[in-house]
Amino acid sequence: MKDRRPLDLRLLPTALAAWVAGLAAVHLAWEQALQLGWTLVGAGALLTVTAWLLNRLATHVVPLHVLLCCVVAGLVALTAGAQGRELSDRGWEEAVQSKAPVTVTARIMGQPRILVGTGFEGEDQVLAQAVVEQAQSPGESVPIPVDAPVVIIASVVEDEEPFTAGHRYQGLVRLTPTDPGERASALAFPFGEDLARIPADDRTETADIFNRLREGTTEASAHAVGDAPALLPGLILGDRSRQDADLSEAMREAGLSHLTAVSGANCALVMGSLMGLVRLLRLPRWSTVPVALLGLVLFVLLVHPEPSVIRAGVMGSISALALFAGRGRSAFSLLCLCVVGLLIVDPFYAVEPAFQLSAAATAGIVVVGTRIKERLERFMPAWLAAPLALAFSAQLFVAPVLLPLSGGVNTYAVPANLLAAPFVPLVTVPGTFAAIISTVLPWAAIGILWCSGLAAACLGLIGRAVASLPQAMAPWPQEGLGVALTVLYLSAALILAIGLVGRFRRWHAPVLAAAAGGLLAVVLPAAVLVPPALPAAWRVALCDVGQGDMLVVRTQESAGIVVDAGEDPTLAEACLARLQIHTVEALLVTHEHRDHYGGVEGVIAKDEPGMVLYSASEGWALDAEVGAVEALPPGVPVHRARPGDALAYTEQLTVRLRVWSADAHHAEANDNSLVAFFEISDPELPAGVVGSAQDPLTLLTLGDLEEEAAAAMIRGEGLPEEVHLLKVAHHGAANGGTEVLGQVRPAVALIGVGEDNTYGHPGPSILRTLEDLGAAVYRTDVHGTVVIGADRDGLEVSVLP
């Protein structure tokens, strides 16, 4: 008989209290965290004594709940404080704050990740999570045990293997402290020579067994068809390194990227697939749980048992066991208990988005997954109903958490996951088995993975097809409207959960229909009609001002430098308004053609610039030309640019500008263009990320410089090599030449050009060269206004049509 009792929510307040305490404690100094913890434990003790004296502790549940919340929250805070105090007592905190290099012995935890072109000279770097086991500061005779988590960022040396998971490395590093709330206690950069691998211990030898299995699985996957060679390592191992940018973006927009990452939902899918297989093969029912748990253990060991993977395994096991065993009532208490336990062991889980998503997905599966499965089983086999119910219930609860993180909603995520669900067990179960035998029976592993690869290739096709649909990633409205829509979504999810867990009431149907109709009527049109939100971390914008140039470099929250202004003042003013720029720190005009300076009136309408810098042919003066149209107010400093002129702004972002070239003697006005080089950095970004203080975002603007003048400049003062962003010369005209493109090798090329212009801009030769160089090309005639952001995840390009 089905268990129709209501969910046991008694541990929910305790889990929430533990979470709040974890969020607070990891952001405090360890002394404050300990003080918070003892205060909460003391409050619990005081409550116990008071309730006992009043003889109410055993007869009233409220004092019991408050007592449990205080004690558990206090334990979480005490754990955070104790971890910090231990590092401080061992001298690690002092070593991190010191600028002196430290000799460390560190063990690599998890799979290292290659960062392409993020070094000081554009070289590739490797990022690895590690634990410092021993450290020796200058002046100390012997190393001391530390056990401190760090992030190591090192240059990739040609013909040398990057870091290997499970191995230990030793060497001199320079330490940089991380922000409060970060799990890693420091960033570690090799000082002088690279870190050297040291002899293996028993733990390393065990890790190597699974390293060889991972390598064998990846090699065997290479023989599969379609997107399978890239997807199989992710589906089985959580390794996305084989996926190219297009495939990764397609899976993200389709809402399927969680399948190739180590998440609670992914672990639940592994166990669910195994349970479905056991039932399909009609094996004894008692074998279901052991087989599923064994599969989960193998999966965790294959991926690498780091904290995030262990967390995912715990959450996934709860989800799958609740769904397939039908124990929804007790499973929710178990979920709360696991949340409390994980936070007491490691309070840093509280700040990790992955933990939040795992808890939400698990709660969805526990609360409504079983009931959805029961309804689906009325018209489809149980082995198919289970994964479909899992996908829908997880997505239902994850979406409200994901919206503020991603700033958008995967419009087709539920149908995409429903389509993908039948293929996942065909990859995870045989794929895990193939991984186990990949080193002893490689020929068998190749055959199994080739067959599993057919299902993986189908997942790739689904991801690409769904991502190509209109509004696959619909932007979520910001501020008040976004909050209102989120509340509306939560209301619909709550009503649906109540109906599925208990019983649908007569009034549920119209309320649910109204909520769903409101989302369809408001969210989808809003995604089309409401302009996309401006990225919070945007740095550079190329404005769509028709056949002309206008570029804005952000210096503060609502301030920036404007390079050229197009020809139409109305379009210039509108672009600054769209970018929320209220202060113009400086205005640069590259030369005297009107499609570059004619819109100055629109810039002035927003704000009187702090200064004006321009280049032009002999005999032409910007202040005289613009003064004729009464655009430039008197008193604004106007200077003719000279090579080597420099400006710097350091209020919120650090923006450094250098005039690279500014001639006046060429007969062709285009060749007298002001060439400017920008370095843009955010001191809040961690080292190793593009746009950080150590690796500033670079931008080169060329005005309308033509080929011969560009070649002369390359032979003379040269040009920066491998810039991140390039404003292509002369709207992409062929007479800008290709030599300059090969010299600077931009990652992103920006072309300001009018739609259906009669000049033939941009030229085919320019576009072909940029394509050969691997540059991402953005044109205002095709994309509209282009905005480039830089945050912890790297560069992000958005378009504002």
Side-chain angles (χ1 to χ4, degrees):
M1 184 175 179
K2 304 289 186 183
D3 184 1
R4 295 298 183 185
R5 292 176 296 170
L7 287 173
D8 186 351
L9 303 178
R10 287 175 293 180
L11 286 177
L12 180 58
T14 305
L16 293 176
W19 207 319
V20 172
L23 285 170
V26 298
H27 286 90
L28 297 174
W30 65 265
E31 299 94 341
Q32 296 172 319
L34 287 176
Q35 184 179 8
L36 173 64
W38 286 119
T39 300
L40 289 171
V41 171
L46 180 62
L47 175 66
T48 302
V49 173
T50 303
W52 178 75
L53 291 174
L54 297 175
N55 196 26
R56 292 174 177 269
L57 188 61
T59 57
H60 289 76
V61 295
V62 173
L64 284 171
H65 277 296
V66 175
L67 169 62
L68 190 58
C69 289
C70 287
V71 172
V72 168
L75 289 175
V76 173
L78 287 174
T79 301
Q83 291 174 352
R85 181 175 64 182
E86 184 176 10
L87 293 179
S88 178
D89 290 345
R90 293 181 176 181
W92 178 251
E93 186 175 306
E94 181 181 352
V96 171
Q97 296 296 333
S98 171
K99 296 185 180 297
V102 178
T103 301
V104 300
T105 300
R107 188 183 301 274
I108 304 300
M109 308 296 294
Q111 192 68 25
R113 182 161 55 96
I114 300 297
L115 307 174
V116 179
T118 57
F120 290 106
E121 298 180 359
E123 74 276 12
D124 294 347
Q125 294 184 301
V126 59
L127 181 148
Q129 304 286 340
V131 171
V132 173
E133 297 178 344
Q134 293 181 330
Q136 183 176 357
S137 298
E140 294 181 348
S141 57
V142 295
I144 58 173
V146 176
D147 194 30
V150 299
V151 173
I152 300 176
I153 301 176
S155 298
V156 176
V157 180
E158 190 175 356
D159 299 329
E160 288 189 16
E161 184 182 0
F163 298 122
T164 303
H167 281 251
R168 295 186 302 163
Y169 294 81
Q170 191 175 72
L172 204 60
V173 299
R174 176 174 52 84
L175 299 172
T176 300
T178 55
D179 295 332
E182 296 281 349
R183 179 186 294 276
S185 59
L187 299 176
F189 301 89
F191 190 84
E193 297 183 359
D194 294 322
L195 301 182
R197 183 183 296 186
I198 61 177
D201 56 4
D202 292 341
R203 187 174 171 185
T204 301
E205 292 175 356
T206 302
D208 275 343
I209 295 174
F210 291 98
N211 287 338
R212 287 191 291 271
L213 291 177
R214 286 192 287 270
E215 292 172 3
T217 304
T218 302
E219 292 174 2
S221 301
H223 300 275
V225 298
D227 288 321
L231 290 175
L232 281 172
L235 290 162
I236 301 169
L237 308 173
D239 180 9
R240 296 176 175 177
S241 61
R242 298 300 179 96
Q243 297 180 21
D244 59 28
D246 289 341
L247 179 59
S248 297
E249 182 65 14
M251 297 295 283
R252 186 185 74 86
E253 292 188 358
L256 299 177
S257 59
H258 65 92
L259 299 179
T260 55
V262 184
S263 65
N266 199 38
C267 291
L269 286 169
V270 172
M271 295 187 68
S273 300
L274 287 170
M275 288 180 168
L277 184 63
V278 168
R279 294 189 179 183
L280 182 64
L281 297 176
R282 300 185 182 279
L283 296 179
R285 187 175 181 84
W286 61 264
S287 66
T288 302
V289 173
V291 169
L293 290 177
L294 177 61
L296 180 63
V297 170
L298 289 172
F299 178 79
V300 169
L301 292 176
L302 277 171
V303 173
H304 198 82
E306 54 189 287
S308 62
V309 180
I310 294 172
R311 177 265 310 158
V314 171
M315 292 295 184
S317 62
I318 298 170
S319 303
L321 290 174
L323 178 60
F324 287 85
R327 305 293 183 185
R329 183 177 187 273
S330 58
F332 194 85
S333 295
L334 183 58
L335 169 62
C336 294
L337 189 62
C338 286
V339 168
V340 169
L342 287 170
L343 289 171
I344 290 176
V345 172
D346 189 349
F348 283 94
Y349 280 132
V351 297
E352 294 182 348
F355 184 72
Q356 301 166 15
L357 293 170
S358 287
T362 307
I365 294 169
V366 167
V367 172
V368 300
T370 301
R371 301 301 167 85
I372 295 174
K373 180 173 76 76
E374 292 171 1
R375 284 164 171 77
L376 292 176
E377 285 177 347
R378 297 173 184 173
F379 53 88
M380 66 175 60
W383 64 268
L384 180 59
L388 293 179
L390 186 145
F392 181 81
S393 55
Q395 189 67 32
L396 185 69
F397 277 56
V398 161
V401 181
L402 199 58
L403 286 174
L405 296 175
S406 64
V409 59
N410 300 104
T411 307
Y412 312 105
V414 170
N417 278 274
L418 293 178
L419 289 172
F423 297 103
V424 176
L426 302 178
V427 177
T428 52
V429 177
T432 301
F433 177 71
I436 295 172
I437 66 171
S438 61
T439 55
V440 294
L441 296 172
W443 56 270
I446 290 174
I448 294 172
L449 290 173
W450 189 90
C451 295
S452 297
L454 297 176
C458 290
L459 291 174
L461 290 174
I462 292 171
R464 292 183 185 275
V466 171
S468 66
L469 296 175
Q471 296 297 316
M473 175 65 79
W476 194 258
Q478 302 298 304
E479 300 177 348
L481 180 58
V483 172
L485 291 175
T486 302
V487 171
L488 183 61
Y489 183 96
L490 287 171
S491 301
L494 180 62
I495 291 172
L496 184 59
I498 292 173
L500 289 171
V501 172
R503 179 185 301 173
F504 279 105
R505 305 292 181 181
R506 183 174 299 177
W507 60 272
H508 281 174
V511 173
L512 189 60
L519 286 175
L520 290 174
V522 177
V523 176
L524 293 182
V528 178
L529 300 176
V530 175
L534 190 64
W538 78 270
R539 301 290 179 260
V540 176
L542 179 69
C543 294
D544 183 6
V545 289
Q547 181 62 22
D549 272 349
M550 180 175 176
L551 187 139
V552 180
V553 177
R554 194 181 192 185
T555 57
Q556 297 184 55
E557 183 70 24
S558 58
I561 300 170
V562 178
V563 182
D564 287 330
E567 185 170 3
D568 188 339
T570 303
L571 295 177
E573 183 178 359
C575 186
L576 292 178
R578 184 76 179 278
L579 298 173
Q580 301 174 19
I581 293 295
H582 306 302
T583 302
V584 179
E585 307 266 25
L587 169 63
L588 276 61
V589 175
T590 59
H591 63 292
E592 66 258 45
H593 286 165
R594 193 165 185 84
D595 59 333
H596 292 255
Y597 79 85
V600 167
E601 288 183 76
V603 175
I604 305 302
K606 294 299 297 180
D607 180 65
E608 181 177 309
M611 68 171 299
V612 177
L613 201 63
Y614 76 98
S615 181
S617 304
E618 289 286 356
W620 192 90
L622 176 67
D623 46 351
E625 186 72 23
V626 176
V629 294
E630 298 180 353
L632 195 62
V636 173
V638 180
H639 303 287
R640 183 180 284 269
R642 296 289 184 268
D645 286 350
L647 300 174
Y649 302 88
T650 58
E651 184 74 20
Q652 292 174 348
L653 299 172
T654 299
V655 179
R656 303 186 188 281
L657 157 66
R658 174 188 170 189
V659 176
W660 204 272
S661 175
D663 293 331
H665 62 273
H666 295 285
E668 172 54 55
N670 288 340
D671 293 335
N672 294 319
S673 291
L674 188 158
V675 177
F677 178 64
F678 292 81
E679 292 178 296
I680 308 156
S681 60
D682 182 352
E684 298 298 322
L685 287 181
V689 174
V690 175
S692 64
Q694 294 77 12
D695 187 13
L697 175 65
T698 55
L699 162 69
L700 183 67
T701 66
L702 296 174
D704 278 357
L705 198 67
E706 295 187 7
E707 185 172 8
E708 292 183 5
M713 184 171 58
I714 293 172
R715 291 191 299 270
E717 55 266 48
L719 278 174
E721 295 185 3
E722 297 188 359
V723 298
H724 296 114
L725 311 177
L726 173 69
K727 203 294 292 179
V728 178
H730 204 186
H731 321 289
N735 63 11
T738 59
E739 183 180 1
V740 66
L741 304 179
Q743 179 75 15
V744 301
R745 303 185 67 84
V748 177
L750 304 173
I751 303 177
V753 60
E755 188 175 0
D756 298 327
N757 68 86
T758 59
Y759 303 99
H761 298 164
S765 61
I766 300 296
L767 296 177
R768 281 196 303 269
T769 301
L770 290 170
E771 180 180 1
D772 293 342
L773 292 171
V777 179
Y778 291 90
R779 304 161 42 175
T780 54
D781 63 332
V782 174
H783 302 100
T785 295
V786 182
V787 179
I788 296 95
D791 56 19
R792 293 173 180 266
D793 296 325
L795 292 183
E796 180 180 1
V797 182
S798 305
V799 295
L800 307 178

